[in-house]
Amino acid sequence: MEEQTLSATTQLTDEITALRRWLEEAALPLWWEAGAAKPDGGFHERVDQDGKPVLGDNRRARVQPRQAYCYAAAGENGWTGDWQRAINHGLDWFDKVYLLESGLYGNLADASGKLIDPSFDLYNQAFALFAAAQTAMALPERKHEMRERALGILSLLKERYAHSEQGFEEDSPSRYPLCSNPHMHLFEAMLAWETVDPTGPWTAVADEIANLAMTRFIDQENGGLREFFDKDWTPAPGEKGRIMEPGHQFEWAWLLVRWGLLRNSFDAIQKAKRMFDIGESHGICPRRKVAVMSLLDDFSMHDRLARFWPQTEWLKAAVRLASATEGEARAVMAIQPFLDTPVKGLWFDKWPADAPMIDEPAPASTFYHIVCAIYEADSVLKALTTKTAGPR
């Protein structure tokens, strides 16, 4: 049994090493050379399958800090490309174009950098916080600057958008449904900041979101995580309140097991394992062997479209929870069809249930999922290999 585990770990390590090589030799250079809008700043929304950027797209605020995160994470992990310039290229344009007088960020700009939708979106603020944390990790000389930025954003969120019970509103005045997804990314950002700045206010917010997830987002009977909620954090009415996304079962499982280990919470770890099991048992298309977009709360398939990002979240959760088992190998296999592109370093985004992979431009927003999954898998497997090998 031990030899089988070592063999499985070695094979998986080889596959993750190949993915990291693809990332650092092809994807990171391509998305800096073609994906960055030069000289004006910021990143394009999409790159076509011929390796050329799609010009003229409106640009979502979230893409800029997500791309900055990718290059900060690459720099922290030893990539020798132009990662510092890439961070500045994303964050400077993010501030120049989307930063409002309120101190928070707007939602959408056109390709020229004109803000065309200044509306509040909790999701965008979460990624502003997350990119700041990763920048502080990669560039210690900017830690104070990034910390002040993050403290300012968090203070405004608490002051203007705190929900009366726990968590945050979608807008002010309140707008419904309330959503678990932006809280997931806030949770991720708070855990990142807790690593950078252990004495800051991040821990309390992380704990609040974890409690909200365990008491409201996660169904107390079947253990699945819902997406949409009414004003009192009960499931939203109708079909919307029944939706459970396999990709988010995996993503929340990855986050909640990390939090559970930090807080010594057996309950959190058990809930994480249950979400992972739901994703693997009910959210994988038996024919394509990939995670689909959504289930209903009876675990019947709701949307059989497969997008790339849930496969990356499957891998992240598997390496944290499965410890070199078949689940990790299946997740790696699910990633491969999306990377079978004409130009190395790109990806396909959508695979319909009854048709081939859709040949369309690669969305930049997926890069965050890919980078995080590859570095997470690489880190966990290296630690596992070291532990398994033992002292020499």
Side-chain angles (χ1 to χ4, degrees):
M1 177 65 77
E2 185 175 341
E3 288 182 2
Q4 288 179 340
T5 301
L6 281 169
S7 176
T9 303
T10 300
Q11 181 180 351
L12 191 59
T13 298
D14 290 344
E15 291 167 344
I16 298 303
T17 298
L19 282 174
R20 180 163 177 166
R21 190 179 306 117
W22 169 89
L23 172 65
E24 296 184 343
E25 295 179 4
L28 286 163
L30 187 153
W31 284 88
W32 172 235
E33 292 160 12
K38 300 169 184 172
D40 297 335
F43 289 90
H44 295 294
E45 280 277 330
R46 299 180 296 161
V47 172
D48 213 334
Q49 293 300 332
D50 62 2
K52 296 177 181 177
V54 178
L55 305 176
D57 281 345
N58 291 334
R59 297 193 212 168
R60 293 169 294 168
R62 66 192 62 179
V63 168
Q64 308 309 317
R66 282 166 83 125
Q67 294 298 80
Y69 157 82
C70 291
Y71 287 96
E76 188 189 11
N77 281 277
W79 184 60
T80 57
D82 210 356
W83 58 273
Q84 295 190 43
R85 278 187 62 206
I87 294 171
N88 293 333
H89 196 78
L91 292 186
D92 289 351
W93 205 74
F94 184 50
D95 285 350
K96 175 185 174 184
V97 173
Y98 302 95
L99 185 59
L100 306 172
E101 290 184 6
S102 67
L104 297 175
Y105 291 87
N107 188 47
L108 188 69
D110 66 19
S112 73
K114 178 184 177 183
L115 188 64
I116 57 178
D117 178 8
S119 64
F120 173 82
D121 191 326
L122 184 59
Y123 194 100
N124 295 329
Q125 320 313 317
F127 274 101
L129 287 161
F130 186 54
Q134 188 62 52
T135 300
M137 289 183 206
L139 296 170
E141 67 272 19
R142 297 189 67 180
K143 177 180 174 180
H144 177 74
E145 172 199 351
M146 291 295 113
R147 183 178 186 274
E148 291 303 305
R149 172 191 295 233
L151 287 172
I153 294 169
L154 185 59
S155 176
L156 287 167
L157 291 179
K158 289 179 176 180
E159 177 187 336
R160 301 180 185 185
Y161 297 97
H163 188 276
S164 59
E165 183 179 330
Q166 53 185 332
F168 294 91
E169 299 279 359
E170 290 293 311
D171 206 347
S172 181
S174 300
R175 171 169 52 87
Y176 304 107
L178 301 174
C179 303
S180 58
N181 191 23
H183 286 80
M184 179 179 70
H185 293 299
L186 275 175
F187 191 30
E188 182 177 30
M190 294 302 99
L191 291 178
W193 268 112
E194 187 176 313
T195 300
V196 180
D197 179 32
T199 62
W202 332 105
T203 295
V205 179
D207 291 353
E208 180 180 338
I209 294 173
N211 182 67
L212 180 60
M214 291 193 292
T215 59
R216 298 305 184 93
F217 297 164
I218 296 171
D219 186 276
Q220 298 304 299
E221 294 186 7
N222 68 26
L225 182 127
R226 299 181 191 271
E227 298 290 325
F228 303 107
F229 300 86
D230 213 340
K231 59 184 178 181
D232 57 355
W233 293 120
T234 55
E239 185 179 77
K240 206 170 185 71
R242 299 186 60 200
I243 291 174
M244 295 180 170
E245 295 189 11
H248 287 158
Q249 308 303 312
F250 295 136
E251 200 165 0
W252 272 103
W254 174 68
L255 288 165
L256 206 55
V257 76
R258 289 170 56 200
W259 181 86
L261 290 170
L262 288 169
R263 306 295 191 268
N264 196 28
S265 171
F266 179 75
D267 186 35
I269 294 169
Q270 289 303 108
K271 289 181 185 299
K273 288 179 177 179
R274 174 58 181 157
M275 285 188 288
F276 180 80
D277 181 62
I278 289 167
E280 278 209 325
S281 299
H282 303 283
I284 308 302
C285 171
R287 180 176 62 83
R288 291 169 294 165
K289 312 297 184 188
V290 292
V292 302
M293 279 307 294
S294 64
L295 309 170
L296 293 178
D297 57 5
D298 61 0
F299 302 148
S300 61
M301 286 200 178
H302 174 253
D303 183 353
R304 294 176 182 269
L305 175 72
R307 291 191 62 191
F308 186 16
W309 70 262
Q311 322 313 319
T312 69
E313 298 306 328
W314 184 10
L315 177 60
K316 283 162 59 178
V319 296
R320 281 281 176 173
L321 285 163
S323 299
T325 66
E326 183 182 348
E328 292 162 304
R330 291 172 65 199
V332 172
M333 291 294 291
I335 284 172
Q336 297 300 337
F338 293 88
L339 300 183
D340 188 15
T341 55
V343 174
K344 196 173 181 181
L346 295 173
W347 46 84
F348 293 119
D349 183 55
K350 300 184 185 76
W351 189 357
D354 54 357
M357 199 80 70
I358 297 175
D359 185 356
E360 62 182 0
S365 54
T366 305
F367 203 20
Y368 144 78
H369 293 279
I370 299 168
V371 169
C372 190
I374 291 174
Y375 285 137
E376 169 75 353
D378 188 57
S379 174
V380 172
L381 285 171
K382 283 178 178 174
L384 180 63
T385 301
T386 301
K387 181 179 178 181
T388 303
R392 293 184 180 274

